[in-house]
Amino acid sequence: SAVISQKPSRDICQRGTSLTIQCQVDSQVTMMFWYRQQPGQSLTLIATANQGSEATYESGFVIDKFPISRPNLTFSTLTVSNMSPEDSSIYLCSVVGGQETQYFGPGTRLLVL
Amino acid sequence: GESVGLHLPTLSVQEGDNSIINCAYSNSASDYFIWYKQESGKGPQFIIDIRSNMDKRQGQRVTVLLNKTVKHLSLQIAATQPGDSAVYFCAENGLRTDSWGKLQFGAGTQVVVTP
């Protein structure tokens, strides 16, 4: 299985600021995704991080708010821009590994004050 | 459209008993389902998956059953242990189009194991 790490593991931020979350995988993967998990809720897909091209966003998520980079097959970043308290969530990256199994990182716990 | 839902938000199970977690889906064309376990403070952990060409799949202490007739799947945990306490999610993978890999999650079931 793929080993995924995320930085930071948690953060407390002031409204109006931005935070960039990093996702690192221990092997090259084709498919990488970013999800959001609001407090006490399930996971919602934000976007697909495409290597070498712009990310593909799901309905309700836009690039200006959640810019994503994917410079290579092992790394991606998600930025949460101009944060408000409603952005307080767990942000998770995931990858599709062998046998098409999707693995998740440990998550970044964000609290916006 | 597609939707995945769970029947029970919380399941209390006595240690040693079997647990059954249920999940319903609405798209009869869905062909791949995954169960995840999420412990407090951690990311979802893959448990087991099943494809639509199967009715049953077994892992270590876990079994997933798929009933395509009523669009229902379940996760059975044998001899539930305290370490099984977590939130369990079923997830539906996108159909084999450009939505492949885009998981749609159910609401989750909190399993509480009591001594």
Side-chain angles (χ1 to χ4, degrees):
Chain A
S1 64
V3 177
I4 306 168
S5 60
Q6 288 186 231
K7 290 182 181 179
S9 59
R10 60 179 64 241
D11 207 342
I12 301 173
C13 300
Q14 298 297 318
R15 68 175 67 204
T17 63
S18 298
L19 176 71
T20 295
I21 301 167
Q22 299 179 5
C23 178
Q24 179 74 52
V25 190
D26 68 339
S27 59
Q28 293 187 340
V29 292
T30 303
M31 304 184 78
M32 185 179 284
F33 304 93
W34 286 97
Y35 288 80
R36 181 176 74 181
Q37 187 176 23
Q38 294 179 299
Q41 297 191 26
S42 187
L43 284 76
T44 301
L45 179 64
I46 297 172
T48 304
N50 300 309
Q51 195 270 329
S53 63
E54 199 169 273
T56 307
Y57 291 84
E58 299 300 302
S59 176
F61 297 96
V62 295
I63 187 171
D64 289 346
K65 177 66 175 178
F66 298 102
I68 290 170
S69 77
R70 178 105 189 260
N72 55 53
L73 293 177
T74 65
F75 185 80
S76 177
T77 67
L78 168 75
T79 298
V80 186
S81 303
N82 187 25
M83 289 183 285
S84 68
E86 292 70 33
D87 294 321
S88 298
S89 293
I90 303 171
Y91 292 87
L92 299 130
C93 68
S94 72
V95 303
V96 177
Q99 299 184 342
E100 299 181 318
T101 303
Q102 190 161 151
Y103 299 98
F104 283 83
T108 294
R109 284 145 185 82
L110 172 61
L111 176 63
V112 183
L113 303 178
Chain B
E2 300 173 350
S3 68
V4 181
L6 295 176
H7 294 306
L8 296 174
T10 303
L11 178 66
S12 184
V13 181
Q14 195 160 14
E15 183 176 355
D17 287 352
N18 297 335
S19 303
I20 299 177
I21 307 165
N22 296 303
C23 183
Y25 63 95
S26 61
N27 190 337
S28 59
S30 298
D31 62 354
Y32 181 44
F33 305 89
I34 312 103
W35 282 99
Y36 287 93
K37 171 187 180 183
Q38 188 175 29
E39 297 175 274
S40 180
K42 297 183 179 180
Q45 175 189 357
F46 173 88
I47 301 173
I48 192 168
D49 58 3
I50 189 167
R51 299 184 186 274
S52 60
N53 61 350
M54 303 173 70
D55 296 324
K56 179 180 179 179
R57 192 169 187 211
Q58 289 184 291
Q60 186 177 11
R61 282 202 305 119
V62 295
T63 300
V64 56
L65 300 178
L66 177 62
N67 185 331
K68 294 179 286 293
T69 302
V70 296
K71 292 180 285 187
H72 178 272
L73 68 158
S74 65
L75 177 71
Q76 301 179 4
I77 305 173
T80 309
Q81 303 170 359
D84 295 326
S85 293
V87 177
Y88 290 80
F89 293 98
C90 62
E92 177 182 7
N93 202 341
L95 303 179
R96 280 214 166 266
T97 61
D98 60 358
S99 65
W100 178 257
K102 298 181 179 181
L103 299 181
Q104 187 168 353
F105 280 79
T109 294
Q110 173 78 57
V111 173
V112 178
V113 181
T114 58

